[in-house]
Amino acid sequence: MRGFRWPPPPDGGPRTWGPGPGAPRTGRPALPEPETELVATPHGASLERLVTGTGDPVTVFAHGLGSGIATTRPFGSGVAGRRIFFQFRGHGRSDSPPGRWSYLDLARDLRAVADLGGATRAFGASLGAGALCRLLVESPERFEKLVFFLPAVLDTPRGEVARARLTGLLDAVAEGDASALADAVSLELPPSVRNTPAGWAYLRQRLDQLLRDGLAPGLADLPAQAPLDDAGSLAAVTAPALVIAAAEDDLHPVGVAERLAAALPNATLHVYDRPGVLWTERADLRERVSEFLNG
């Protein structure tokens, strides 16, 4: 029987319990961490940023809760022009301003990074998709093209299962509990990947980053919030939009993506038939995003 265990096997491969052949000891290495910079914003928070590529157009990438630059970089691999990746407040080396945070604060972070870099297109994943929605309510014509990947919440707070998972992640980081954090992060992986070399490489990278940089306490309130009061407030957004969802994803219900696509006047919805698409549909996903943004 093969099971998830922590700490990881010392050789980096899967730990096999009981009889059976061992799996290959090789896996795709994680992307190396590039050198980033801190940029000052008009609202007073310095944010960690990475700029890759050259020329126009410029696309800004907004990550999910507890994620960051490393998890959004793969989406930009086939996207033309300059690509701006950043860390929301409370993530990585970005500032953690005092007080209670809301999606309006995240929208200000996203707007500041986009404005400073001259971004005309935007990609938002999960929490980043919510922040992008909040920004668009204030400035519906801000971007020429939009991608929403696994939107998690719109005008109703997350469900209890999602809130419990996110709270567990934040608590494990706050306590510096590597075992509990590994359990929480492992849920991001499809079961078929969790005990493979690629799965262990991802887990190691995520734990190294989270235990090194931490997550600010100000993020704890966000799972109980919604970015919008009414999804109908997106009716003025006329930019072409691509909304991507996956069936059976507890943190990112398909219903949220369907309501978002319906609220946006010029949106296309694509739903994958199973969760874990970064692992099971990686090539198709990157091609889908790049073809939409480059078209």
Side-chain angles (χ1 to χ4, degrees), residues 142-201:
R142 174 61 185 80
F143 297 105
E144 298 173 357
K145 284 191 175 183
L146 305 160
V147 177
F148 300 86
F149 177 66
L150 300 182
V153 62
L154 196 55
D155 52 9
T156 303
R158 297 174 189 253
E160 288 299 323
V161 172
R163 288 165 65 176
R165 275 185 54 178
L166 293 170
T167 299
L169 173 69
L170 292 168
D171 288 347
V173 173
E175 296 167 6
D177 187 336
S179 181
L181 183 56
D183 286 337
V185 172
S186 71
L187 296 176
E188 300 172 8
L189 301 168
S192 61
V193 175
R194 290 178 191 169
N195 208 26
T196 66
W200 283 114

Side-chain angles (χ1 to χ4, degrees), residues 85 116 174 211 215 260 281:
F85 307 92
L116 289 170
L211 291 173
L215 293 170
L260 174 57
E281 302 287 353

Side-chain angles (χ1 to χ4, degrees), residues 18 40 48 74 78 81 104 109-110 116 157 169 180 195 250 274 283 294:
E48 186 176 6
L104 179 58
D109 289 350
L110 174 55
L116 289 170
L169 173 69
N195 208 26
D250 292 336
R274 54 180 173 170
N294 295 342

Side-chain angles (χ1 to χ4, degrees), residues 111-278:
R111 180 194 296 276
V113 172
D115 288 351
L116 289 170
T120 57
R121 307 180 302 178
F123 173 102
S126 191
L127 180 83
L132 179 55
C133 286
R134 188 67 183 82
L135 186 160
L136 291 169
V137 169
E138 307 296 328
S139 303
E141 298 180 355
R142 174 61 185 80
F143 297 105
E144 298 173 357
K145 284 191 175 183
L146 305 160
V147 177
F148 300 86
F149 177 66
L150 300 182
V153 62
L154 196 55
D155 52 9
T156 303
R158 297 174 189 253
E160 288 299 323
V161 172
R163 288 165 65 176
R165 275 185 54 178
L166 293 170
T167 299
L169 173 69
L170 292 168
D171 288 347
V173 173
E175 296 167 6
D177 187 336
S179 181
L181 183 56
D183 286 337
V185 172
S186 71
L187 296 176
E188 300 172 8
L189 301 168
S192 61
V193 175
R194 290 178 191 169
N195 208 26
T196 66
W200 283 114
Y202 174 84
L203 195 63
R204 285 177 183 274
Q205 182 191 44
R206 287 280 283 135
L207 262 65
D208 285 348
Q209 183 266 315
L210 288 169
L211 291 173
R212 180 191 69 225
D213 298 331
L215 293 170
L219 298 169
D221 290 334
L222 289 172
Q225 298 181 34
L228 308 180
D229 292 327
D230 180 5
S233 58
L234 295 172
V237 180
T238 58
L242 173 63
V243 182
I244 302 174
E248 301 178 10
D249 188 322
D250 292 336
L251 291 185
H252 312 96
V254 171
V256 173
E258 291 174 338
R259 294 190 63 238
L260 174 57
L264 294 166
N266 193 12
T268 299
L269 173 66
H270 180 78
V271 180
Y272 288 98
D273 60 7
R274 54 180 173 170
V277 294
L278 275 171

